[in-house]
Amino acid sequence: MLRTLTIGWARGILEIKQFNRAREAVVFTIAFPVILLFIFGSVFNNEIAPSVTFSQYFVAGMIASGLVNSGFQNLAITIPMERDSGALKRLRGTPMPIEAFFIGKGIQVLYSMGLQVLLLLGFGTLFFGLELPSDPSKWLTFAWLLILGSISATILGIAFSSIPKSGRGASALVSPIVIILQFFSGVFFVFTSLPGWMQQFAAIFPLKWLTQGMRSVFLPESFASQEVAGSYELGRIALILIIWTVLGTFFAIKTFKWSRI
Amino acid sequence: MILIEGLVKSYGEHQAVDGVDLSIEKGEIFALLGPNGAGKTTIVEILEGYRVADGGKVLVLGEDPAAKGRAGAALRGRIGIVLQDSSDSQDLTVLETLQHFATYYSAPRNVDELISLVNLEEKSQAKIRTLSGGQRRRLDVALGIIGQPEILFLDEPTTGFDPRARRDFWDLILALKNNGTTILLTTHYLDEAEALADRVGVIVAGKILEISTPATLGGRMKALTTVSWQSLDGQIESVESDKPTEIIRELIKKFDGEIPALSITRPSLEEIYLKMIGEK
């Protein structure tokens, strides 16, 4: 157990080193959401409810998307690439505990997610009227959303990684899925203004619930009445994230491949 | 060290391995030879635990290589694997990679000594993406032996090497053998098998044709020997014979002293091998 954790930690450090050295990945994962923030925050700065601007609404959604980008999208693309390069096959031929590999991935996701959230919070408060909550209970909500959100995004990324046929095809498959989910889940538009079928479709997936959770942290309590259910539904958010995490774990264990055969 | 009995493996309709028996003893270098698609890599990957046999008995160090979980990990701590082609960890340095992989094993080699053993001292701080093909391959071997394995699997280790690099590599492999490591090698180069292997096995279409030493494979010892020399009028003459010593004796009588341009050659391992797989 201790050995698994020690090696998992060492893998996390190694993954972070590799992540930092792959500049395209850093730019794609970290800078892209910030660029989107500037574009959308500057174009749509109208008030969508008393004392709530669209840019505030958008920052909350982008933080939720950040979890999906650095967890799901990142792993669903990089793991197939590592499968193609023989990295996974090599690891599978060593006595490395396989859990350590996934711990390492989780650490790398936490790192890139942390960077991304800090950048979004920083730019959001400096330029787009985002107000950091003063109520400690909201920070508590933020904390569990980050933890549960990053765990489920990591596991779903690992689970999805067995679907792309090659590393090269992974990005073409995964990126559109994420972008469509972002549109449907109310990241780029106010969720309640979307067509009903789109809302219902998005409600199946975790991103919609993560964005709603983040709004409960960064938007005033009064805005809850604007949500679909008239409240932020924190309990339901936790439940849905847990269900996806369990399903993802099951699927990942069943389908994970260390090499292309 | 390695025991295979009645090994069978097919991919769909294709029978990749068709009833192979093989036993490899401690401290020997065994080379598996055969054309592409003969089943070499499938056998090696079953022994390495990457693939599961359809039938037959497979033991590596007395264990089932397909064992999962803790037992599988324990076995993988005692073997070393050098895969055919890998292009991973491009952004890490040689030193970082070796130091990291050392943490997986209970008794790893000293990383600095390992780097000098595979002759990568000058590249230890270099990113892996900057290594040449031969350097990359030496790093692969270093990763394969970092855990001081009892058995080392080498799958076509010197493909793309220049002759000098190949000789250096052979010296490294022989040094490992002298330290008691058992080595299973697959190769397309017959000179490599001859230089390294104690025994070779020829496999064609999933079946073993013959297992013997490189010197005796395919009746090589009994095959006709070619003796050639330069005759007094300057022509190169050559005779094939099963009694080359007699020819030499006559030549000694004929020439006073040195026999010009004398050569006595048995068929090369390559010639024997090509004949064997051609007959199939």
Side-chain angles (χ1 to χ4, degrees), chain A residues 89-167:
Chain A
K89 192 174 185 184
R90 188 199 297 287
L91 289 174
R92 194 71 189 93
T94 72
M96 176 198 76
I98 57 172
E99 301 85 355
F101 174 77
F102 299 110
I103 293 173
K105 287 288 178 204
I107 290 172
Q108 190 257 307
V109 167
L110 277 181
Y111 168 83
S112 61
M113 182 195 79
L115 270 181
Q116 199 170 343
V117 168
L118 281 178
L119 279 175
L120 288 169
L121 284 182
F123 285 108
T125 46
L126 281 176
F127 301 106
F128 299 104
L130 183 75
E131 282 174 38
L132 297 180
S134 51
D135 182 353
S137 75
K138 291 206 165 187
W139 283 108
L140 195 69
T141 308
F142 188 50
W144 74 251
L145 279 171
L146 282 183
I147 293 168
L148 195 53
S150 58
I151 290 175
S152 65
T154 302
I155 285 175
L156 291 172
I158 293 168
F160 197 87
S161 74
S162 35
I163 295 174
K165 288 216 161 53
S166 72

Side-chain angles (χ1 to χ4, degrees), chain B residues 195-210:
Chain B
L196 296 177
D198 299 302
R199 288 191 303 150
V200 297
V202 177
I203 179 165
V204 177
K207 287 193 167 80
I208 298 249
L209 285 188
E210 189 181 339

Side-chain angles (χ1 to χ4, degrees), chain A residues 2-259:
Chain A
L2 181 65
R3 178 171 170 270
T4 303
L5 292 179
T6 315
I7 294 178
W9 177 253
R11 281 219 56 83
I13 302 294
L14 200 78
E15 296 267 11
I16 290 172
K17 258 185 205 169
Q18 286 176 285
F19 176 79
N20 286 342
R21 288 176 193 175
R23 281 194 208 100
E24 323 82 68
V26 175
V27 170
F28 189 65
T29 327
I30 305 291
F32 189 58
V34 175
I35 294 167
L36 280 184
L37 174 62
F38 270 86
I39 296 170
F40 274 79
S42 312
V43 175
F44 306 104
N45 50 9
N46 50 316
E47 280 204 349
I48 54 171
S51 76
V52 177
T53 64
F54 179 75
S55 27
Q56 286 171 294
Y57 189 94
F58 183 70
V59 177
M62 279 312 286
I63 290 174
S65 308
L67 300 184
V68 175
N69 284 329
S70 50
F72 177 77
Q73 184 168 3
N74 168 18
L75 296 184
I77 293 172
T78 55
I79 291 177
M81 286 164 63
E82 290 175 342
R83 197 175 285 134
D84 283 0
S85 76
L88 300 189
K89 192 174 185 184
R90 188 199 297 287
L91 289 174
R92 194 71 189 93
T94 72
M96 176 198 76
I98 57 172
E99 301 85 355
F101 174 77
F102 299 110
I103 293 173
K105 287 288 178 204
I107 290 172
Q108 190 257 307
V109 167
L110 277 181
Y111 168 83
S112 61
M113 182 195 79
L115 270 181
Q116 199 170 343
V117 168
L118 281 178
L119 279 175
L120 288 169
L121 284 182
F123 285 108
T125 46
L126 281 176
F127 301 106
F128 299 104
L130 183 75
E131 282 174 38
L132 297 180
S134 51
D135 182 353
S137 75
K138 291 206 165 187
W139 283 108
L140 195 69
T141 308
F142 188 50
W144 74 251
L145 279 171
L146 282 183
I147 293 168
L148 195 53
S150 58
I151 290 175
S152 65
T154 302
I155 285 175
L156 291 172
I158 293 168
F160 197 87
S161 74
S162 35
I163 295 174
K165 288 216 161 53
S166 72
R168 214 179 278 178
S171 174
L173 181 65
V174 176
S175 307
I177 292 177
V178 171
I179 291 170
I180 288 169
L181 270 186
Q182 285 174 325
F183 273 104
F184 282 28
S185 302
V187 175
F188 301 128
F189 307 106
V190 177
F191 186 70
T192 45
S193 71
L194 295 171
W197 65 269
M198 226 181 243
Q199 294 187 22
Q200 279 147 21
F201 182 77
I204 303 169
F205 300 100
L207 180 56
K208 182 259 175 190
W209 302 96
L210 273 174
T211 56
Q212 193 170 314
M214 290 300 172
R215 287 198 291 274
S216 84
V217 175
F218 295 102
L219 300 187
E221 205 52 56
S222 61
F223 189 80
S225 60
Q226 306 281 318
E227 296 287 352
V228 179
S231 84
Y232 288 124
E233 302 179 280
L234 291 181
R236 176 169 286 185
I237 293 171
L239 182 69
I240 285 173
L241 290 179
I242 289 168
I243 290 174
W244 271 99
T245 308
V246 172
L247 288 177
T249 308
F250 186 73
F251 190 76
I253 290 171
K254 282 272 172 209
T255 64
F256 194 81
K257 289 194 226 75
W258 294 87
S259 59

